[in-house]
Amino acid sequence: MGFFGQSLRERWDNPTQRFIIVAGLVFVGILLFTRFFPTVESGLDCNGLSRPIITGNNQSILATRVDPSVLGVELIIPKTTLATNEPLIMEVRLVNTSLAPLTLFYDEPSIRFRYTGQEPGLVFAIQALNGRVAGEPFTVRPQVPQPQAFDRNLLRVLPPRGRCTVRVEIDPARLAASGVTGGEQYRIIAVYRNTARGQLPTSAPLTPTPIFRDQGVWIGEVRSNDVVITVNR
């Protein structure tokens, strides 16, 4: 007798089928919660997301087949007109539009207020409306290298249809070092990028070969909407 031909009690008494039922109910609950309570979902702190198990045997097969564009980035700047002594406060939302969990590189100290096209993680492209490119120089904040193998503490799992928020504050000294000065307007775009899926450590002798060949970290580059800010003299 097939799954659908059994009574609910028969299916519940079978441990495997009971697990399928519970997993299905949890998944439907997540979708409904996200649909009807979007503001609660957007308030999750990205740093508080779970960390993955990176043994090479605990990844999502579905995640290996999704297009990088399933990850979206939204930039929100609550106050877009600043005095020269005010910090710039930004909220960046990472949005997973797919049905697969996404493993993301996340390291708050590595967030850079510049865009070089080389650094991983969350960065920002800043340009004055007159065309001048701004951004903090390497002498102020060194370049962030692209990891080839990721420490588990620098990875976060963004669940299916989930979203999380990063709050970034750029203080006045950091703005000045970036060339963001008074009397001008600037267009800011949040960029999230990563180019390495992560190398697995060498397997110990006499251990089974891992199912997956890498750590399964999301790779690609996605950009947010642009926001224009004004810095007064």
Side-chain angles (χ1 to χ4, degrees):
M1 182 180 297
F3 181 87
F4 293 101
Q6 296 174 308
S7 68
L8 179 60
R9 182 177 182 83
E10 289 175 325
R11 291 196 292 268
W12 187 258
D13 289 340
N14 184 300
T16 300
Q17 295 184 4
R18 181 166 64 244
F19 174 81
I20 293 173
I21 293 171
V22 172
L25 291 174
V26 170
F27 181 72
V28 171
I30 291 174
L31 292 181
L32 291 176
F33 188 82
T34 304
R35 171 65 178 84
F36 293 105
F37 299 94
T39 57
V40 175
E41 178 71 6
S42 66
L44 293 174
D45 181 358
C46 291
N47 191 48
L49 295 174
S50 64
R51 293 159 175 76
I53 299 174
I54 51 176
T55 61
N57 294 311
N58 299 88
Q59 296 180 32
S60 164
I61 295 177
L62 186 59
T64 64
R65 300 174 180 174
V66 298
D67 188 272
S69 63
V70 300
L71 179 65
V73 180
E74 300 172 357
L75 174 61
I76 299 170
I77 300 181
K79 186 174 183 180
T80 56
T81 300
L82 306 177
T84 53
N85 62 345
E86 282 187 289
L88 172 63
I89 297 175
M90 302 177 287
E91 292 183 1
V92 180
R93 292 175 182 168
L94 302 179
V95 183
N96 180 2
T97 63
S98 77
L99 295 178
L102 301 179
T103 299
L104 305 177
F105 168 65
Y106 181 81
D107 181 34
E108 283 195 17
S110 295
I111 294 174
R112 294 294 186 257
F113 193 58
R114 64 173 176 241
Y115 175 74
T116 64
Q118 302 295 323
E119 296 173 292
L122 180 60
V123 296
F124 296 88
I126 312 105
Q127 186 174 30
L129 294 193
N130 64 12
R132 179 175 62 87
V133 176
E136 50 196 355
F138 292 151
T139 53
V140 174
R141 289 183 182 263
Q143 183 173 4
V144 178
Q146 169 66 60
Q148 298 304 310
F150 296 88
D151 184 283
R152 179 173 180 263
N153 290 325
L154 299 183
L155 297 177
R156 299 292 186 275
V157 178
L158 188 58
R161 302 292 190 185
R163 60 177 60 199
C164 69
T165 300
V166 184
R167 184 182 184 275
V168 180
E169 180 174 336
I170 309 297
D171 61 44
R174 195 171 172 186
L175 286 173
S178 303
V180 177
T181 56
E184 287 194 78
Q185 291 182 298
Y186 298 86
R187 177 173 286 106
I188 301 177
I189 298 173
V191 183
Y192 182 82
R193 68 186 307 276
N194 178 59
T195 60
R197 292 186 64 82
Q199 299 173 355
L200 289 174
T202 303
S203 300
L206 303 179
T207 59
T209 302
I211 297 174
F212 299 95
R213 298 181 180 180
D214 51 49
Q215 293 178 308
V217 183
W218 176 94
I219 57 174
E221 178 174 307
V222 288
R223 296 186 170 216
S224 75
N225 54 296
D226 66 298
V227 179
V228 175
I229 67 168
T230 300
V231 182
N232 293 328
R233 293 187 185 277

